Amino acid sequence: MELETEYAIQTSSLSKEFSGFKAVDNLNLSVKKGEIYGLLGPNGAGKTTLIKMLCSVITPSAGKAHILGKSIPDGNISSQIGYMPQETGVYLGLTVEQNLKFYGRIFGIENDEIMKREDKLLKFVDLVNWKHEMAENLSGGMKHRLSLACTLLHQPQLLFLDEPTVGVDPELRVSFWDYFQDILKQDTTILITTHYMDEARHCDRIGFMQHGHLIAEDSPRVLMEKSGKDSLEDAFLEFSNRDKSPAEKSQGGVSQ
Amino acid sequence: MKLYRIMAVSRRVFQDVVNDKRTLAMLFIAPIFAMTVFGLAFSGDVEDVNVIIVNQDQGFAPPMGNTTYLSKTIISHLDTKVVNIKYMDNPTTARQEVVDGKAYALILFPENFTENAVLKSRNSSYPDSAEIMIQGDDSITNIKNAILKTVSDAVSETMTDEGISPSLKIISDPVYGEDAEFIDFFVPGILAFVVFLLTTLLTLITFVGERSNGTLERVLASPVTEGEIVAGYALTFGLLGMIQVAFLLLVAIVFFNIMIVGNVLLAFLTVALLALVSLSLGILLSSMAKRPEQAIQFIPFVVLPTFLLSGIFWPIQAIPQWLRPLSYLVPPTYAVDACRAVMLKGWGLDRIWPDILILLIFAVLFLAMATWSLKRGKK
Ligand SMILES: Nc1ncnc2c1ncn2[C@@H]1O[C@H](COP(=O)(O)OP(=O)(O)OP(=O)(O)O)[C@@H](O)[C@H]1O
Ligand SMILES: [Mg+2]
C-alpha cells in the first residue's frame, strides 16, 4: 500500500514476542507528519523494541506498520529515517570525525557535503574540540551527543530517538530540545523516548506505554486533565493503576 | 548491493583496526612470534608415507647354490607402519609419481646391487658401489627423514641377519625441496594458521562489539544491507590477510632465510581466500555470544582443531589415521597444503587448483551463512 498520507508512522496490532514473552503487544500507534511524539513508560515497557521494529532492525512477530506511507520492511524508506539507538551506536575505535564520515558515506553523501554538515553538527553538539579524539575517550554524555550528530547527518525526515538525552547535561538538553523544535518546523517527524518528564512536556503528544501496549495517549495538557493530576508522573501512575488488573495493583511503579 | 556502501563499511573496519595500535601489533607481531617459537620446537612421528620401490636387482648367483637377493631382504625389513610400498618396474614413470605428488619417494635398487654388496664383503678393496637410490620429495623435512631412517634401519637389520657387513650407500637425490629445512616446511603452515586465527578472532570480537554497542542496529536501520556489511568486512580482512602474508614472508626471508621456489602471489591468493572463510566464521560465532567475554570462550574451539588437524606443524601423515578425515573438514588444511606446494615445490595454479577450488567453495558457503545469520538475527 502506497498512499500519500498525513501519517509518518502507522501501526496496526503490531506485536513482538521473544520466546513466548510479548514485549510489544497488539500496539496501534499513529504519528502525524511534523509531530513530535514522546513514548513514556517504565523500564521494560517495550519502547525500544517498538522503535527497533519501526526501523526494520528487528522483524515484527505479528501486525503491520507503515512508515512514511510505505509498509515495512520492504518499503525502502531506510534513507529517510534516522535511528539513534539506546546504546550509543558509535564506533568507539574511530575518532569523532571518522564516525560522522562513516554515517554520511553509507547514505551516499558526497565528501564536501559531509564536511559542511559535520562542522555544523559538531558545533551544535559542542564537540568541535573533540573532532579528532577517539570516541572511546569521550565521556558518557559526549558519546550521546556524538550519537545524535551521527543520526542527524543525513537529514532524515523521520527521527527515532531512543533516550537521546540520557547523561546529557541540562544546558545542552535545553539546546537539544530547541534544535528539535527547529527541525520540526522543516516538516521533520520525531518519535522520542525519555524518562525525563520535564522534557516530555515539549512533545505534541505523549503515549504512555506499559507491558507492550499504550495505556493512554494525548497531548501532555490533556493527559494531565484527564487524569486529574498536575504532573505527568502522577498522570502516568493514575493511568497505570486504571490499566492494571486488581491482582497487579499491589506492585509496580514508574522509573524516574 | 551498492559499491559505495561496501567501501564505506570496508573503510570503517580498516580504520578501526589501524586506529588500535594493539590490534595492529597483534596482527604483525603474533605471526613472527609464532614462527619463532613453534618453528624451533616441532617434529612429529610420520606414518603411512607412500613410497615406490623399483627393484632392478639381478641378485648374486654363486657358483654353487641359489641366487640371493639382498634387496628383497632389505625390503622385507622396511617398517610398513611408516611406509606404504608400491612396486613399479620403470624408474621414469615411478619418478613421475613422485613429481605428481602421488608418492613421497622412489627407492631404487640398481641391477648389480647384491653382486656389488657381496663382492665388497668378500674383498674390502672392492669399491663401495652397492647403492640404494632414494629420490624423494624432500620439501617436507620430517617425511624425508622418516624415509631415510626406515631404509637405513632395514639395511642395518639385513646386515645383522645375513652376517655380512657390506657398506651400503644410500644416495638421496631430491625431487623437490633440495636443502629444505624444517623452518621452510613450517612457514607456509604458520602463514595460514595466523591469518585464520587472527581474522576469526578479530571479526568475532569486533562483531560482538557491534552487536552490543548499537552500531550494528544503526547500520541495519540504514540502507546498508547484511550482504554489504559482510562484503565490507571481507574486503578489509582479505586485504589485511595479504598484508600479513607479505610482512611475514619478508621477515621469514630476511631473518630465517627461508626458501621460496614458487610464485608467492598464489600464496597471497590462497591466504586471502582463507581470510574470507575466517571472517565469516567469526561473524557466525558472534551470533552465539552476547558479550566479548563470551566470545573469548570460543577460542579453544577455533584454535585446537586447526592446530592439530590442518597439517600446520606436522604433516597430515603424522596425524592418527582415524582422525585424518576430520582434517579435510578444517578449511586451513587446504590453505596449508596449497601454500606449501607453491612455496616449497613451486607448483602453479594448474597443480594446486583443487585446494583453491575447495577454499573457494568454503568461502562462498561461509560468507552466505554469515549473511544469513545476520538476517536471522532480526527475528
Ligand atoms: N532480544 C531480546 N530477547 C529477549 N527479550 C528481550 C529482547 N529485547 C527486549 N526484550 C525484553 O522485552 C521487554 C521490553 O524491552 P525494551 O528494551 O523494549 O524496554 P524499554 O521500554 O525500552 O525499557 P527501558 O526504558 O529500560 O529502555 C523487556 O522485558 C526485555 O527484557
Ligand atoms: Mg529502551
Side-chain angles (χ1 to χ4, degrees):
Chain A
M1 184 170 84
E2 281 191 36
L3 296 174
E4 191 47 54
T5 119
E6 55 173 324
Y7 290 107
I9 304 170
Q10 246 186 329
T11 77
S12 65
S13 309
L14 197 65
S15 302
K16 181 69 189 179
E17 271 188 34
F18 292 112
S19 44
F21 171 77
K22 286 203 161 165
V24 172
D25 190 6
N26 274 305
L27 188 124
N28 297 304
L29 173 76
S30 301
V31 177
K32 285 204 191 100
K33 283 185 179 163
E35 199 176 26
I36 177 160
Y37 188 101
L39 264 184
L40 268 60
N43 294 132
K47 306 179 294 292
T48 298
T49 309
L50 172 63
I51 289 184
K52 283 184 187 171
M53 281 193 282
L54 299 178
C55 295
S56 306
V57 171
I58 55 177
T59 19
S61 318
K64 284 201 193 109
H66 285 80
I67 302 291
L68 299 170
K70 301 205 173 141
S71 93
I72 52 164
D74 9 74
N76 211 5
I77 36 85
S78 49
S79 58
Q80 280 125 277
I81 64 166
Y83 170 45
M84 175 174 174
Q86 186 169 3
E87 304 84 11
T88 45
V90 296
Y91 291 96
L92 299 180
L94 299 191
T95 65
V96 168
E97 185 181 30
Q98 287 172 334
N99 265 291
L100 286 166
K101 287 236 158 69
F102 170 69
Y103 284 116
R105 285 192 194 111
I106 57 175
F107 288 94
I109 306 171
E110 297 296 326
N111 237 343
D112 298 348
E113 183 61 26
I114 293 180
M115 305 252 260
K116 265 188 240 156
R117 298 188 191 181
E118 177 185 299
D119 285 342
K120 269 194 217 149
L121 283 169
L122 284 176
K123 264 182 215 135
F124 161 55
V125 296
D126 198 12
L127 286 175
V128 177
N129 295 332
W130 299 81
K131 192 170 167 179
H132 301 293
E133 192 60 60
M134 289 293 218
E136 62 188 345
N137 297 338
L138 301 183
S139 75
M142 287 176 180
K143 281 179 198 146
H144 268 92
R145 279 145 55 185
L146 172 59
S147 173
L148 180 65
C150 291
T151 312
L152 298 172
L153 194 106
H154 63 287
Q155 301 178 339
Q157 287 178 38
L158 172 57
L159 282 169
F160 294 94
L161 307 176
D162 201 351
E163 303 194 18
T165 52
V166 166
V168 174
D169 60 61
E171 202 180 328
L172 258 169
R173 257 164 62 193
V174 171
S175 70
F176 272 24
W177 279 93
D178 288 347
Y179 187 86
F180 296 157
Q181 307 290 355
D182 250 20
I183 53 177
L184 284 171
K185 288 187 202 121
Q186 300 151 25
D187 226 22
T188 306
T189 312
I190 302 180
L191 180 76
I192 192 168
T193 74
T194 179
H195 288 292
Y196 300 114
M197 296 295 171
D198 57 318
E199 289 184 353
R201 248 181 270 274
H202 297 289
C203 296
D204 295 323
R205 282 195 304 146
I206 283 176
F208 284 146
M209 199 172 171
Q210 182 163 289
H211 301 315
H213 50 256
L214 287 172
I215 55 174
E217 183 190 46
D218 221 313
S219 69
R221 194 177 46 79
V222 175
L223 281 173
M224 286 190 276
E225 273 169 18
K226 276 188 186 165
S227 61
K229 308 284 178 187
D230 51 8
S231 76
L232 278 171
E233 277 101 330
D234 293 338
F236 181 86
L237 289 175
E238 177 59 28
F239 286 113
S240 165
N241 264 325
R242 288 185 200 169
D243 183 64
K244 274 177 188 165
S245 60
E248 288 174 308
K249 283 205 171 172
S250 51
Q251 17 156 320
V254 206
S255 71
Q256 268 278 3
Chain B
M1 284 234 177
K2 281 272 197 300
L3 187 63
Y4 72 84
R5 294 201 291 253
I6 297 175
M7 292 308 293
V9 173
S10 165
R11 193 159 165 181
R12 201 273 303 156
V13 178
F14 192 76
Q15 287 172 334
D16 223 341
V17 172
V18 175
N19 281 354
D20 184 2
K21 299 292 172 288
R22 219 171 330 193
T23 307
L24 207 58
M26 187 173 83
L27 283 179
F28 295 106
I29 293 169
I32 312 291
F33 178 73
M35 183 161 69
T36 318
V37 173
F38 294 117
L40 304 171
F42 274 98
S43 64
D45 283 330
V46 177
E47 287 178 15
D48 289 337
V49 180
N50 289 329
V51 297
I52 300 170
I53 291 181
V54 176
N55 192 353
Q56 299 175 322
D57 188 8
Q58 299 295 314
F60 179 69
M64 270 171 286
N66 295 332
T67 316
T68 54
Y69 294 91
L70 208 50
S71 53
K72 289 186 179 168
T73 324
I74 293 174
I75 291 168
S76 72
H77 278 106
L78 286 174
D79 187 348
T80 49
K81 259 189 84 177
V82 180
V83 288
N84 290 331
I85 301 169
K86 178 177 167 191
Y87 294 94
M88 292 181 77
D89 291 325
N90 185 337
T92 326
T93 49
R95 194 173 191 282
Q96 191 56 41
E97 297 244 353
V98 179
V99 172
D100 290 341
K102 290 180 191 142
Y104 279 97
L106 154 66
I107 303 174
L108 178 78
F109 294 91
E111 256 176 62
N112 43 9
F113 177 75
T114 309
E115 194 182 359
N116 284 342
V118 173
L119 291 177
K120 170 74 184 177
S121 70
R122 290 186 183 162
N123 176 1
S124 57
S125 63
Y126 195 82
D128 282 340
S129 46
E131 297 169 340
I132 303 173
M133 294 263 282
I134 300 180
Q135 302 190 333
D137 173 354
D138 285 9
S139 60
I140 303 178
T141 320
N142 28 7
I143 291 187
K144 170 185 99 172
N145 291 341
I147 295 172
L148 279 181
K149 181 166 182 303
T150 309
V151 174
S152 58
D153 283 352
V155 167
S156 58
E157 276 171 44
T158 307
M159 293 196 293
T160 328
D161 279 1
E162 302 287 308
I164 51 170
S165 55
S167 56
L168 297 180
K169 263 206 270 179
I170 300 171
I171 295 174
S172 168
D173 173 14
V175 170
Y176 289 119
E178 195 162 359
D179 299 328
E181 307 209 5
F182 189 63
I183 189 84
D184 299 319
F185 162 76
F186 175 76
V187 165
I190 208 83
L191 274 186
F193 181 64
V194 292
V195 170
F196 175 75
L197 188 65
L198 294 180
T199 309
T200 307
L201 294 184
L202 211 58
T203 358
L204 173 56
I205 289 167
T206 29
F207 233 84
V208 172
E210 281 230 43
R211 282 173 194 279
S212 63
N213 67 17
T215 49
L216 183 63
E217 284 171 354
R218 198 201 278 272
V219 170
L220 285 177
S222 82
V224 179
T225 64
E226 292 85 354
E228 288 165 353
I229 298 178
V230 173
Y233 267 81
L235 211 59
T236 300
F237 281 104
L239 191 71
L240 280 176
M242 291 201 263
I243 298 176
Q244 271 179 282
V245 172
F247 182 70
L248 190 75
L249 286 183
L250 195 72
V251 174
I253 292 167
V254 173
F255 294 103
F256 291 87
N257 203 11
I258 66 150
M259 183 187 86
I260 300 176
V261 292
N263 181 354
V264 283
L265 289 181
L266 281 172
F268 282 46
L269 171 73
T270 311
V271 173
L273 280 176
L274 183 66
L276 298 190
V277 178
S278 321
L279 80 95
S280 312
L281 182 66
I283 295 177
L284 281 172
L285 288 176
S286 78
S287 66
M288 299 196 278
K290 283 224 161 21
R291 281 170 284 117
E293 306 88 83
Q294 289 176 338
I296 306 290
Q297 295 163 351
F298 294 135
I299 293 179
F301 296 98
V302 178
V303 177
L304 284 176
T306 320
F307 195 88
L308 297 175
L309 296 174
S310 61
I312 289 167
F313 300 109
W314 47 80
I316 297 196
Q317 286 76 12
I319 294 168
Q321 200 157 23
W322 62 274
L323 267 177
R324 249 171 263 172
L326 295 180
S327 293
Y328 296 104
L329 294 176
V330 184
T333 303
Y334 302 95
V336 173
D337 192 52
C339 284
R340 206 165 270 157
V342 167
M343 290 167 56
L344 294 177
K345 302 182 191 172
W347 286 12
L349 199 55
D350 54 323
R351 312 283 297 272
I352 60 163
W353 66 267
D355 282 330
I356 300 287
L357 183 66
I358 293 173
L359 276 175
L360 203 61
I361 293 171
F362 264 113
V364 171
L365 197 72
F366 272 55
L367 287 170
M369 287 194 325
T371 311
W372 169 83
S373 88
L374 285 180
K375 289 203 166 127
R376 206 193 54 136
K378 291 182 164 185
K379 287 269 149 52

